[in-house]
């Protein structure tokens, strides 16, 4: 079977980038990852037909080897349609998550945390308060510098950068991770303003962000 | 045999689809929608029961859609195993639907929005599951998976509350990744063999280079393993299932993972028979059992605990599959049918407990046995059944697998037998915990503040409240499922014979191939296949009226006749 090298390299790149994005906590990036992977799969299916050939319309003068195998394209078409449906559903989910919680990232399972707390298991890596990087779709302040409805990101960044001082229990490794997470977030996003005065934040937080104080007993029941 | 009727097999997929279409069309009229949905499912059940009666005594039947011959067109194949799965799944879905209707009627106030979506989506789920069971080629199997998975995404996030969205995202992303993996494998299999037809693959895969075969085999198993929630790939299940409404969780827990198992069994017997990775599968099975049940013991919420036992009992199915013997496979087939019923029932009962007491957290439960003895009975029977206590069907299935393991008589199968006994005991412990906490102790003794619904002034008050909280329309379908699970024990003999015959067919593969290709092409390979299948026959003499078959007590003591011929490598010394 002959395989087109360019397509093969492209497919590899799509898979690699897709898997990288899939590992992110931000839902939009996960979605982008899924889109890339599904396109990689589509290319793979296309490959299985082998070298390009004639359109498979029967002509007695043409020998069978000259035609292109049409079946992979039928599979491909179905796969594209299914991927399209799934991506639109994912988008709806992400939008809903945004509307409800004003956050664009995967939340922790409260019940898991509760069970872990029973056993007094504290894994510094898993159970540390993560610096929640909410979204890239909202700025903290408008052009004139006033706070917007969703000040969460600012809060978290303050909490994150100060974590080394505020949370001595979780240790130095914890703080390093936080810095890395936030640094990575900043590298490709637009520059954001970190609110200078952390005292202002706690008052704004509770009513604008329902995700912030979940009832631990409710988590697993509904 | 009259196979004319089996040509109507595609209706098992079409009826729910058309029902879904009509249900969507009547989205304003709730009672019409309800009637259409129930009607469609009742029709499906009748159709599938008739189909089962047609294949009961004989082999497989293939339907070439639109008349295209086998390797080119799409084929639907119904054999004993598929028919049994279809019947069990459609009875389950019908009961769960009735339960959901009862719940909808009981909670009339807040069913304005999402319920108009619920009925049609539910039917699409049923259609997808049926399609996966009947699929005669890999790609159609993929499409079946996608149909019911997409429906399940909608059902899981029904109403779009925050916790459901959170759970839904995990579930959707994991499912999509597993589907992508499945699709990649289909692509690679097509590239290697030039076909996606299961019967055609059964003949062609054997010609491939063994290492290529192994790659394809493992990829396929990983893709199905995620869907079936086999241990290292099961992390998503306890996070996502418990958040959905009770009927939805029930049908998910009962059916969806079992479709993954079905696909594993189908591909394992048809495409990749043999014992190459059985040891790996058995290790995975043991880990699934043990890790799953240990997870269950740590949970306080009944739904989450049941989700973990679900994972743990998937381990049994993988064990039976990995045995690669007819007796092991027969037990697996029986156990799948049993487990679909039992897991669904338990989740429905949990829904009832949650309605009656306001919570499914055992720390806040108490006194349910006194308040509602019926509820106690409905929980007790399937719970004991899950744990595998003798008169129930769980015991029969587990016994069959252990017989298979003992008959095979290698160190790994003995390990598995021990692991399955331990798991069974731990399951008993987990359900006994729910029982003692939720049902036996007084509500006042609860670890945390008990729910107010449990603290009526007198017993008469709380019994009176039962009517309101536990409407007959919800209790009756649950009771029907409990009765069905009891029927599995009552008719265990004929059912085991049936699953033995199904297992024999699946390992021989000739009935399947003959149905798809017709006798001509199969004839050439028949001898070869039958010879191959004979290696799976770790079996007992059949001329003693079935006594040895159903009570082969001597197997562990006399493993050195047939069994030793088949597995000569490593024999365990301690059973001689």
């Amino acid at each position: 079977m002959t395989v087109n090298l360019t397509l093969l390299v492209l497919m590899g790149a799509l898979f690699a980038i897709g898997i990288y994005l899939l590992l992110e906590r931000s839902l939009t990036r996960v979605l982008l990852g899924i889109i890339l992977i599904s396109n990689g799969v589509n290319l793979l299916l296309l490959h299985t037909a082998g070298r390009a050939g004639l359109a498979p319309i029967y002509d007695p003068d043409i020998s069978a080897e000259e035609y292109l195998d049409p079946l992979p394209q039928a599979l491909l078409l179905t796969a594209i349609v299914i991927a399209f449906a799934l991506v639109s559903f994912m988008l709806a989910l992400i939008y809903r998550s945004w509307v409800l919680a004003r956050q664009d990232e995967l939340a922790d399972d409260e019940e898991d945390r509760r069970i872990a707390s029973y056993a007094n298991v504290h894994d510094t890596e898993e159970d540390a308060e993560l610096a929640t990087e909410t979204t890239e779709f909202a700025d903290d302040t408008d052009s004139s510098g006033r706070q917007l409805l969703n000040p969460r990101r600012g809060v978290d960044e303050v909490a994150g950068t100060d974590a080394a001082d505020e949370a001595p229990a979780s240790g130095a490794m914890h703080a390093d991770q936080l810095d890395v997470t936030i640094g990575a977030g900043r590298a490709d996003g637009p520059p954001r303003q970190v609110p200078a005065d952390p005292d202002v934040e706690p008052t704004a937080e509770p009513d604008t962000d329902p995700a912030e104080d979940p009832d631990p007993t409710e988590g697993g029941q509904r | 045999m009259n196979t004319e009727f089996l040509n109507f097999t595609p209706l098992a997929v079409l009826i729910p689809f058309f029902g879904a279409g009509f249900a969507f069309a009547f989205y304003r009229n709730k009672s019409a929608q309800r009637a259409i949905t129930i009607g469609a499912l009742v029709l499906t059940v009748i159709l599938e029961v008739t189909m089962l009666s047609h294949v009961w005594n004989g082999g497989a039947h293939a339907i070439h859609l639109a008349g295209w011959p086998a390797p080119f067109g799409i084929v639907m194949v119904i054999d004993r195993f598929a028919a049994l799965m279809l019947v069990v799944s459609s009875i389950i879905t019908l009961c769960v639907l009735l339960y959901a209707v009862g719940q909808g009627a009981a909670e009339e106030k807040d069913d304005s929005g999402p319920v108009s979506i619920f009925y049609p989506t539910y039917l699409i789920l049923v259609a997808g599951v049926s399609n996966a069971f009947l699929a005669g080629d890999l790609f159609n199997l993929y499409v079946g998976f996608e149909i019911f998975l997409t429906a399940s995404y909608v059902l899981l996030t029904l109403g779009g509350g925050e916790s459901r969205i959170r759970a839904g995202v995990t579930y959707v992303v994991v499912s999509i990744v597993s589907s992508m993996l499945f699709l990649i494998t289909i692509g690679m299999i097509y590239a290697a063999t030039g076909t996606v037809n299961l019967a055609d693959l059964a003949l062609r895969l054997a010609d491939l280079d063994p290492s290529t075969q192994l790659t394809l085999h493992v990829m396929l198993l990983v893709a199905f393993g995620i869907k079936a929630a086999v241990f290292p790939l099961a992390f998503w299940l306890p996070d996502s299932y418990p958040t959905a409404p009770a009927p939805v969780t029930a049908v998910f827990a009962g059916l969806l993972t079992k479709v993954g198992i079905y696909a594993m069994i189908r591909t394992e017997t048809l495409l990749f028979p043999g014992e190459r990775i059985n040891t790996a599968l058995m290790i995975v099975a043991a880990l699934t059992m043990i890790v799953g049940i240990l997870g269950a013991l740590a949970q306080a919420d009944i739904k989450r605990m049941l989700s973990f036992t679900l994972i743990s009992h998937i381990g049994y199915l993988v064990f039976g599959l990995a045995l690669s013997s007819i007796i092991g496979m027969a037990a697996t087939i029986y156990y799948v049918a049993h487990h679909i019923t039992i897991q669904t029932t338990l989740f429905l009962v949990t829904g009832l407990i949650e309605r009656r007491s306001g919570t499914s957290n055992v720390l806040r439960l108490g006194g349910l046995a006194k308040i509602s003895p019926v509820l106690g009975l409905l929980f007790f029977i399937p719970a004991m059944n899950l744990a595998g206590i003798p008169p129930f069907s769980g015991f029969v299935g587990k016994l069959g697998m252990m017989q298979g393991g003992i008959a095979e008589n290698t160190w790994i199968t003995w390990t598995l037998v021990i692991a399955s006994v331990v798991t069974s005991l731990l399951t008993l412990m987990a359900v006994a915990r729910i029982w003692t906490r939720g049902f036996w102790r007084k509500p006042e003794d609860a670890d945390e503040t008990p729910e107010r619904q449990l603290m009526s002034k007198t017993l008469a008050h709380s019994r009176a409240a039962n009517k309101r909280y536990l409407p007959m329309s919800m209790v009756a379908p649950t009771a029907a499922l409990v009765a069905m699970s009891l029927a599995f024990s009552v008719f265990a003999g004929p059912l085991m014979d049936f699953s033995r015959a199904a297992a024999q067919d699946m390992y021989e593969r000739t009935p399947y191939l003959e149905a798809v290709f017709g006798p001509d092409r199969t004839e050439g390979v028949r001898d070869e296949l039958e010879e191959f299948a004979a290696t799976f026959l770790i079996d007992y003499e059949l001329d003693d009226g079935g006594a040895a078959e159903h009570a082969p007590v001597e197997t562990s003591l006399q493993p050195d006749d047939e069994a030793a011929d088949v597995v000569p490598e490593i024999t365990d010394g301690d059973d001689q």
Side-chain angles (χ1 to χ4, degrees):
Chain A
M1 199 175 82
T2 327
V3 175
N4 183 326
L5 185 66
T6 323
L7 283 182
L8 201 65
V9 171
L10 177 62
M11 190 179 86
L14 285 176
F15 276 131
I17 303 171
I19 289 170
Y20 176 77
L21 286 175
L22 205 60
L23 298 176
E24 293 271 337
R25 238 176 129 84
S26 157
L27 292 181
T28 322
R29 292 187 193 183
V30 170
L31 178 72
L32 289 176
I34 288 174
I35 295 174
L36 290 186
I37 292 180
S38 75
N39 281 324
V41 178
N42 291 344
L43 278 184
L44 178 94
L45 285 179
L46 194 65
H47 275 163
T48 60
R51 203 170 33 198
L54 294 173
I57 300 166
Y58 181 65
D59 183 338
D61 299 335
I62 301 174
S63 70
E65 295 84 49
E66 304 279 310
Y67 295 115
L68 177 70
D69 183 0
L71 186 74
Q73 300 189 10
L75 305 187
L76 181 59
L77 207 56
T78 320
I80 289 175
V81 175
I82 291 174
F84 170 71
L86 294 182
V87 165
S88 26
F89 187 79
M90 269 295 285
L91 263 180
L93 269 188
I94 293 170
Y95 176 71
R96 186 76 186 153
S97 166
W98 168 248
V99 165
L100 284 173
R102 290 269 147 190
Q103 63 176 7
D104 172 44
E105 70 162 33
L106 203 58
D108 279 333
D109 189 354
E110 292 301 329
E111 189 75 7
D112 269 357
R113 293 212 160 189
R114 206 171 62 77
I115 298 289
S117 72
Y118 266 141
N120 288 324
V121 184
H122 186 84
D123 185 333
T124 30
E125 197 170 330
E126 293 245 309
D127 301 339
E129 286 298 323
L130 283 174
T132 41
E133 202 200 329
T134 41
T135 177
E136 290 159 17
F137 302 131
D139 283 328
D140 311 320
T141 53
D142 62 11
S143 51
S144 56
R146 279 181 306 158
Q147 286 285 314
L148 284 182
L149 259 180
N150 179 29
R152 185 187 158 90
R153 132 157 280 123
V155 177
D156 291 329
E157 286 193 352
V158 171
T161 43
D162 292 345
D165 316 317
E166 288 167 2
S170 43
M173 192 183 109
H174 175 192
D176 288 345
Q177 281 175 345
L178 288 174
D179 285 337
V180 169
T181 322
I182 290 167
R186 274 191 193 141
D188 46 0
R192 298 156 208 139
Q193 300 171 8
V194 179
D197 185 8
D199 293 341
V200 182
E201 301 307 328
T203 52
E205 191 187 338
D207 25 1
T208 48
D209 190 3
E212 202 73 334
D213 80 351
D215 181 359
T217 52
E218 289 289 310
Q221 293 169 13
R222 287 277 133 197
Chain B
M1 187 185 64
N2 174 20
T3 54
E4 289 282 296
F5 180 80
L6 289 177
N7 289 328
F8 290 110
T9 303
L11 282 180
V13 181
L14 287 179
I15 292 175
F17 262 135
F18 277 111
F22 283 114
F24 265 127
F26 286 95
Y27 73 100
R28 282 170 195 281
N29 187 342
K30 217 144 278 161
S31 55
Q33 215 181 26
R34 201 176 303 148
I36 290 169
T37 313
I38 296 176
L41 272 185
V42 168
L43 262 183
T44 318
V45 171
I46 295 171
L47 174 83
E48 287 173 0
V49 169
T50 326
M51 273 159 34
L52 178 67
S53 72
H54 274 82
V55 291
W56 187 276
N57 288 320
H61 186 74
I63 299 95
H64 301 91
L65 295 182
W68 291 93
F72 310 109
I74 294 175
V75 197
M76 278 188 167
V77 186
I78 181 160
D79 62 356
R80 288 186 172 108
F81 184 35
L84 180 69
M85 288 295 101
L86 278 178
V87 168
V88 173
S89 71
S90 57
I91 294 179
I92 292 296
T93 43
L94 180 62
C95 287
V96 174
L97 177 70
L98 294 175
Y99 180 97
V101 167
Q103 190 177 27
E107 294 169 357
E108 194 62 66
K109 295 181 291 296
D110 49 7
D111 72 346
S112 47
V115 175
S116 60
I117 298 288
F118 175 79
Y119 293 119
T121 316
Y122 191 79
L123 282 178
I124 290 177
L125 181 91
V126 177
V129 170
S130 304
N131 192 20
F133 284 148
L134 289 170
D137 63 78
L138 271 182
F139 198 76
N140 204 11
L141 186 64
Y142 166 76
V143 172
F145 266 113
E146 285 309 311
I147 293 171
F148 79 72
L149 282 177
T150 311
S152 75
Y153 304 153
V154 176
L155 289 176
L156 191 75
T157 52
L158 209 64
E162 204 175 325
S163 63
R164 282 186 197 163
I165 295 287
R166 179 193 60 70
V169 167
T170 319
Y171 178 69
V172 172
V173 171
V174 170
S175 304
I176 289 179
V177 169
S178 87
S179 297
M180 290 296 165
L181 199 56
F182 187 17
L183 199 55
I184 291 172
T185 318
I186 292 176
M188 309 232 321
I189 288 180
Y190 186 77
T193 61
T195 180
V196 287
N197 184 295
L198 284 175
D200 208 13
L201 282 175
L203 298 176
R204 290 202 199 174
L205 273 172
D207 302 335
L208 288 182
D209 182 44
S211 62
T212 318
Q213 272 190 54
L214 188 67
T215 315
L216 297 175
H217 189 175
V218 171
M219 284 181 74
L220 210 52
L221 277 182
V222 171
F224 293 145
I226 299 177
K227 292 178 203 294
V230 174
F231 160 61
L233 311 168
F235 55 90
W236 55 271
L237 192 146
D239 278 358
S240 46
Y241 277 10
T243 48
V248 171
T249 316
V251 80
F252 280 18
L255 272 186
L256 300 197
T257 50
K258 303 310 179 307
V259 186
I261 284 287
Y262 172 87
M264 267 171 131
I265 293 177
R266 187 58 88 195
T267 51
E268 204 61 14
T269 52
L270 199 59
L271 304 190
F272 303 101
E275 302 175 343
R276 271 187 89 184
I277 61 164
N278 278 358
T279 309
L281 269 183
M282 285 197 198
I283 293 170
V284 166
L287 287 175
T288 311
M289 286 185 205
I290 300 290
V291 174
I293 201 64
L294 290 181
L297 287 174
Q299 305 298 319
D301 186 275
I302 302 182
K303 282 182 174 180
R304 286 182 69 95
M305 196 221 78
L306 287 177
S307 304
F308 274 102
T309 59
L310 169 62
I311 295 176
S312 144
H313 285 240
I314 294 290
Y316 282 100
L317 300 171
V318 178
F319 170 39
L321 170 66
L323 280 174
S324 276
S325 66
I326 285 178
I327 183 158
M329 183 54 71
T332 312
I333 293 172
Y334 179 83
Y335 201 81
V336 176
H338 142 84
H339 197 246
I340 291 178
T341 319
I342 224 65
Q343 202 74 42
T344 311
T345 318
L346 279 171
F347 272 103
L348 287 187
V349 176
T350 311
L352 288 178
I353 292 176
E354 203 175 357
R355 266 188 73 78
R356 179 62 191 87
S357 57
T359 180
S360 60
N361 186 340
V362 279
L363 299 178
R364 301 170 71 188
L365 286 175
L368 279 170
K370 202 166 188 184
I371 293 170
S372 174
V374 176
L375 191 57
L377 194 68
L378 287 183
F379 179 80
F380 188 77
I381 294 175
M384 289 300 113
N385 202 338
L386 184 74
I389 298 300
F392 298 117
S393 50
F395 171 73
V396 180
K398 282 173 190 163
L399 184 70
M401 279 170 210
M402 287 177 204
Q403 281 172 1
I406 291 168
E408 201 143 309
N409 195 21
T410 60
W411 63 271
I412 184 80
T413 57
W414 276 100
T415 318
L416 258 291
V417 169
I418 293 165
S420 57
V421 173
V422 170
T423 309
S424 194
L425 287 174
L426 290 178
T427 312
L428 182 63
M429 181 172 159
V431 291
R433 252 188 202 179
I434 299 181
W435 177 256
T436 47
R437 286 181 176 170
F439 286 85
W440 264 355
R441 69 176 170 195
K442 288 181 186 144
E444 298 82 45
D445 299 340
D447 309 59
E448 292 170 15
T449 338
E451 289 289 332
R452 274 184 48 223
Q453 290 181 28
L454 292 171
M455 305 284 283
S456 297
K457 262 175 280 175
T458 65
L459 192 60
H461 274 94
S462 51
R463 289 265 165 91
N466 279 348
K467 271 211 177 62
R468 188 155 40 91
Y469 288 122
L470 305 173
M472 207 46 211
S473 51
M474 289 170 78
V475 175
T478 319
L481 282 183
V482 172
M484 180 171 160
S485 69
L486 289 178
F488 276 122
S489 352
V490 175
F491 299 107
L495 261 177
M496 262 300 190
D497 287 344
F498 176 78
S499 23
R500 269 181 69 87
Q504 177 113 24
D505 282 0
M506 284 161 69
Y507 277 122
E508 248 169 44
R509 299 192 281 171
T510 40
Y512 195 98
L513 298 183
E514 204 172 319
V516 176
F517 289 132
D520 296 342
R521 191 170 162 195
T522 321
E523 217 46 59
V525 288
R526 180 185 294 277
D527 292 340
E528 195 186 325
L529 288 178
E530 275 174 2
E531 199 175 306
F532 189 71
T535 61
F536 296 110
L537 257 172
I538 301 173
D539 223 331
Y540 312 104
E541 295 297 318
L542 294 177
D543 50 11
D544 59 352
E549 180 189 348
H550 294 298
V553 272
E554 77 287 359
T555 46
S556 59
L557 301 173
Q558 306 170 330
D560 48 349
D561 38 59
E562 287 175 36
D565 294 340
V566 182
V567 206
E569 303 95 9
I570 315 155
T571 37
D572 199 313
D574 60 6
D575 51 83
Q576 290 296 325

